[in-house]
Amino acid sequence: ALHEGHVVSAKELTVLLQPVFTQKPRNLILFLQDRLSIEDFTYLSKSYGNKNPFQNEILQSSPSSLVLPAVDCEATRYLPKFLQESGDWKLTNITNLDVSQLEVNTSKPNLLVVQLQPLLSQLTEFVKLYMFLFIDKIIGRLTMDLQERGIHFSVIYTAVRPSRISRRTDVVWELRRQLMATEEEDRLSYPPLNVTTGSDTCILFYASNFSLKANDSVFIDLTNATFVTQNVDTSSSECSDINTTLSLKYTKPVNGISSLEIRFLMTNKFYGASARNWSTLDSVEIVQDEGKFAKFNVSVISAPAEYSFHCQLVGTSNLYPARLIPSNNEAKNWNVFISSLQIQGFNIENNQFSYASDCTGFFTPGIWMGLVTSIILLWILAYGIHMIMQLTTNSRFDDPKGPALSVPQTE
């Protein structure tokens, strides 16, 4: 029993899961989501009639279960590493969601890590319901397959970071544009990716969602591989005072792609109009299987050289404030989506992002609407005051005891 508001730490989690680690045979399936909170279970399981996720037979027939409403993000990331260090666990990453050809040696402890489809933060509750229904079918299908093969196992369903962040009521009034240096949600997720030269950090890169889509069919989520497990090679990155290249190399990110490299090319130039240096993200390049080359020109991604750059949405869509524009035919086969991008390639101090220049201008559509409305109201008020000031009183008045007042037409 856990009291309300308690967050399970890494040490507490290992104690609670000790029976799973010590039982025989030791076969553990770790279903890993990108975002998940206890509210997803309590809200979505009873809100849409018969369409209720998390109702597969394996969960219903389980002889024992443990529900932890809140677990520290560091504990979730520490769990696979702890299992590997605590025994001779055989780690197997499952990405194609098919275990029919999977060979499980029950004489040794097995840890199967299943990366589930990511849930984007901007999805509606109705769309999330169907996403969870699909995920629920995947969990049921994989576990049923192992059960039919007579393999005994335990299941852990968790996520890298929470999908809902409860903010303190005493700081709600302080809500404003928050960047990574002060954003509470970011501190609870994961640190940025850093590229170092010697002991100095020369590139910082962060995104809450980093995903691609090839040929409108193959979805590639690189968020966990880049920031959580950091299963990415950055050795080809280059740093200098003028040109900086962030190179991200992935090995077999999905089935059908053996290698994938993504390059962010940045420059630092002096501009006489502003009398200062500006850092600019000039282009983004994607190299697939060391042969297919796609290049994108970048718009609106620049900041003073002493600052970092931040933008809520960056990608190939025309609706994003910062766009990646295809510059060759191969680039037209790719869709890029980056959420909450923050990047800095020059003048990094104390291994932290500097003050961020945001892609959203100071005058947002809401501010413009307020200004235009205020101007219209002020014009109406000024016109009304002007009309009132034009009113005049009569210079002569009728005397009831005297003759009638005659006013000539000329007056």
Side-chain angles (χ1 to χ4, degrees):
L2 301 174
H3 61 79
E4 182 180 2
H6 178 71
V7 179
V8 178
S9 63
K11 184 177 181 180
E12 291 173 324
L13 182 63
T14 55
V15 174
L16 291 171
L17 297 180
Q18 198 63 33
V20 177
F21 304 152
T22 57
Q23 68 180 2
K24 292 184 179 181
R26 290 186 293 172
N27 297 309
L28 181 61
I29 308 175
L30 176 61
F31 290 99
L32 195 59
Q33 193 83 40
D34 63 331
R35 297 170 181 264
L36 187 67
S37 292
I38 192 66
E39 291 82 5
D40 295 323
F41 291 85
T42 57
Y43 178 73
L44 293 175
S45 62
K46 295 184 180 298
S47 298
Y48 295 95
N50 296 326
K51 295 182 175 64
N52 297 330
F54 320 115
Q55 299 293 331
N56 60 66
E57 296 180 2
I58 296 297
L59 292 179
Q60 298 294 331
S61 60
S62 176
S64 62
S65 62
L66 173 65
V67 178
L68 302 176
V71 179
D72 188 7
C73 297
E74 293 294 335
T76 304
R77 290 194 289 269
Y78 174 71
L79 183 59
K81 181 179 179 181
F82 170 79
L83 291 174
Q84 289 181 306
E85 293 178 351
S86 61
D88 54 346
W89 292 80
K90 179 185 177 183
L91 176 62
T92 304
N93 290 295
I94 301 177
T95 56
N96 59 0
L97 304 180
D98 184 13
V99 296
S100 59
Q101 304 298 326
L102 181 65
E103 296 182 1
V104 180
N105 185 4
T106 56
S107 62
K108 294 183 179 180
N110 294 277
L111 172 60
L112 309 179
V113 179
V114 182
Q115 296 285 347
L116 297 173
Q117 187 172 359
L119 296 172
L120 302 181
S121 58
Q122 65 269 26
L123 294 179
T124 62
E125 296 294 341
F126 190 75
V127 177
K128 282 186 179 180
L129 170 67
Y130 280 92
M131 293 287 289
F132 276 114
L133 286 171
F134 177 71
I135 291 171
D136 190 45
K137 290 181 180 179
I138 292 176
I139 295 176
R141 177 159 51 87
L142 295 182
T143 53
M144 185 65 69
D145 187 88
L146 292 176
Q147 191 179 45
E148 291 176 352
R149 293 164 62 179
I151 300 175
H152 298 278
F153 56 87
S154 299
V155 174
I156 296 179
Y157 181 30
T158 185
V160 178
R161 55 191 183 275
S163 60
R164 303 169 190 240
I165 302 294
S166 298
R167 299 184 181 274
R168 303 191 310 270
T169 57
D170 58 339
V171 297
V172 172
W173 64 275
E174 294 180 353
L175 290 180
R176 58 190 182 276
R177 182 186 297 159
Q178 300 281 349
L179 302 183
M180 185 172 175
T182 57
E183 177 63 32
E184 180 178 5
E185 180 177 352
D186 288 341
R187 291 201 308 268
L188 293 175
S189 54
Y190 42 72
L193 177 71
N194 63 77
V195 177
T196 59
T197 55
S199 59
D200 298 328
T201 300
C202 63
I203 304 175
L204 287 175
F205 175 61
Y206 176 86
S208 62
N209 188 291
F210 182 28
S211 56
L212 311 173
K213 197 172 185 180
N215 301 317
D216 293 328
S217 59
V218 181
F219 182 80
I220 310 172
D221 182 28
L222 302 175
T223 310
N224 292 338
T226 306
F227 304 105
V228 181
T229 61
Q230 295 194 356
N231 187 21
V232 58
D233 181 14
T234 61
S235 59
S236 298
S237 300
E238 299 177 357
C239 297
S240 70
D241 295 335
I242 300 175
N243 298 298
T244 295
T245 300
L246 172 61
S247 174
L248 306 175
K249 292 183 178 180
Y250 306 89
T251 303
K252 292 184 178 180
V254 292
N255 289 336
I257 298 179
S258 60
S259 66
L260 186 67
E261 181 181 6
I262 303 175
R263 306 190 193 111
F264 296 83
L265 283 73
M266 295 172 282
T267 59
N268 180 13
K269 295 181 181 179
F270 178 82
Y271 291 87
S274 59
R276 69 185 307 172
N277 284 57
W278 286 74
S279 63
T280 306
L281 178 59
D282 297 323
S283 61
V284 176
E285 300 174 350
I286 300 176
V287 182
Q288 177 188 345
D289 299 330
E290 299 182 357
K292 298 180 179 179
F293 175 79
K295 183 177 180 179
F296 300 87
N297 294 327
V298 183
S299 66
V300 200
I301 298 186
S302 61
E306 300 82 9
Y307 296 169
S308 63
F309 175 83
H310 175 270
C311 195
Q312 190 62 30
L313 290 175
V314 177
T316 52
S317 174
N318 294 330
L319 302 177
Y320 297 162
R323 286 194 58 209
L324 303 181
I325 305 171
S327 63
N328 62 1
N329 292 330
E330 184 63 31
K332 298 177 181 179
N333 299 326
W334 290 90
N335 291 325
V336 182
F337 174 78
I338 308 176
S339 176
S340 299
L341 167 73
Q342 190 164 0
I343 189 170
Q344 184 174 357
F346 305 96
N347 302 313
I348 298 175
E349 297 180 357
N350 301 322
N351 298 329
Q352 294 180 348
F353 280 116
S354 303
Y355 175 83
S357 175
D358 202 276
C359 62
T360 302
F362 178 78
F363 286 95
T364 62
I367 294 177
W368 278 115
M369 183 178 294
L371 289 175
V372 172
T373 304
S374 300
I375 291 173
I376 293 175
L377 293 176
L378 287 174
W379 182 83
I380 295 174
L381 178 62
Y383 179 76
I385 295 176
H386 174 72
M387 295 301 295
I388 292 175
M389 293 177 64
Q390 297 301 316
L391 295 177
T392 58
T393 58
N394 295 333
S395 59
R396 290 177 291 175
F397 297 92
D398 208 1
D399 186 2
K401 296 182 179 182
L405 181 65
S406 176
V407 180
Q409 293 296 327
T410 56
E411 298 184 11

